[in-house]
Amino acid sequence: MKVGMVKFVASMGLLLACVGARAGLPEPDVQVADSGRQVVINVPQTRLFLYQDGKLVKSWPVAVGKMLTGTPTGSFDITGIYHDPTWHVPKSIQDEMRAQGKPVQTAVPPGPDNPLGKVFIRFGEPGLGLGMHGTNAPGSVPGFRSHGCVRLKNPDALDLASLVSVGDAVTVAYQAILLNQDDAGHLWLTAYRNPYGHDDVSMPWLGQVLLKWQHDHKVAIYGNRVDEALRLRNGKPVCLTCRGSLPDYRVVSLTVFRWLSSPPDSTLPGDSSAPSLPRPPASESQSQL
């Protein structure tokens, strides 16, 4: 069977499993094309998402760049896929080796000691040196460990390489606050830490968006849950509208709520500059938080 047909069959199988792919997994708000494949990487979430024809089909944990060597955001294309790659050590990393008193390597051949693992999927122009690749240190995934590349465990990198092709789109996003909805229509918020210390452009919109959602759906949002999620930033989805015992996010199917790719308008009831969200009674608050 030809490689293209293998990828087509694999992609069709993934489409059949796309509902399960969302269980407990919040999605970033990135516009995804209605046709073709697209890779989306959300840096604060340390997560890579694969979409086929606009549908989420698979996702993997990743390690992205450290604060001083952050993974750049933007839109790219896959420009090469290389199995059993040789790692040509960048001069900057050679300088690090030298400064740390380590033997300076200029190239590392394929094998168990190769930091690129089993496959290197380049995105962007070759001069950028960016790629999604395997690793010889699987314990480093997920995290903020690389010099800018996106690192996956070897089985995940090989899985990804079997499903994508040169020319597929890659979007690297930086979204530390995610809003999702479940099948029952409840609104969920997930907050991550801000590893690069970027100004969070979503914060000025968040209160306005929540107030508008509450007004449009005639459903109360518990403001104390918003406050707690933003304080902890532990990456655990929190239901903002569920009453009684909160459901286990790990078994809830979450779909993205558009609020960053479609910025809110400024027309809201009341004073949107200082939105007020309801707090539940003390007894309910103690049982739910």
Side-chain angles (χ1 to χ4, degrees), residues 69-238:
T69 54
T71 301
T73 59
S75 299
F76 309 88
D77 291 329
I78 292 176
T79 51
I81 300 175
Y82 309 95
H83 289 270
D84 296 318
T86 294
W87 182 40
H88 298 281
V89 185
K91 186 179 182 301
S92 59
I93 298 181
Q94 293 182 39
D95 292 341
E96 285 185 19
M97 294 174 176
R98 189 175 295 107
Q100 295 169 3
K102 298 179 179 178
V104 177
Q105 297 174 287
T106 58
V108 179
D113 296 327
N114 191 314
L116 302 183
K118 297 289 188 180
V119 65
F120 182 86
I121 306 167
R122 186 176 65 209
F123 63 93
E125 295 302 317
L128 294 175
L130 294 174
M132 301 167 280
H133 61 78
T135 180
N136 61 344
S140 67
V141 179
F144 302 89
R145 311 292 179 84
S146 78
H147 288 78
C149 281
V150 177
R151 185 185 303 177
L152 299 93
K153 296 180 180 180
N154 280 329
D156 295 344
L158 289 169
D159 195 11
L160 175 63
S162 73
L163 299 170
V164 298
S165 300
V166 171
D168 288 348
V170 176
T171 303
V172 181
Y174 194 99
Q175 296 182 10
I177 300 174
L178 307 184
L179 292 177
N180 286 249
Q181 292 186 147
D182 63 21
D183 293 340
H186 288 295
L187 187 65
W188 293 68
L189 184 148
T190 312
Y192 298 90
R193 298 192 183 280
N194 183 0
Y196 297 169
H198 289 175
D199 290 336
D200 194 339
V201 297
S202 66
M203 281 302 293
W205 293 345
L206 182 60
Q208 180 183 353
V209 169
L210 295 180
L211 187 62
K212 186 175 188 304
W213 191 98
Q214 180 177 254
H215 175 264
D216 291 345
H217 292 78
K218 305 298 188 291
V219 175
I221 290 175
Y222 293 119
N224 64 324
R225 296 179 190 165
V226 177
D227 297 341
E228 185 73 355
L230 294 176
R231 182 182 70 82
L232 294 177
R233 291 185 175 263
N234 58 11
K236 294 181 179 180
V238 175

Side-chain angles (χ1 to χ4, degrees), residues 1-13 37 162-163 165:
M1 188 180 290
K2 293 183 178 180
V3 173
M5 182 59 70
V6 170
K7 290 186 176 181
F8 173 78
V9 171
S11 296
M12 290 304 295
R37 283 183 299 268
S162 73
L163 299 170
S165 300

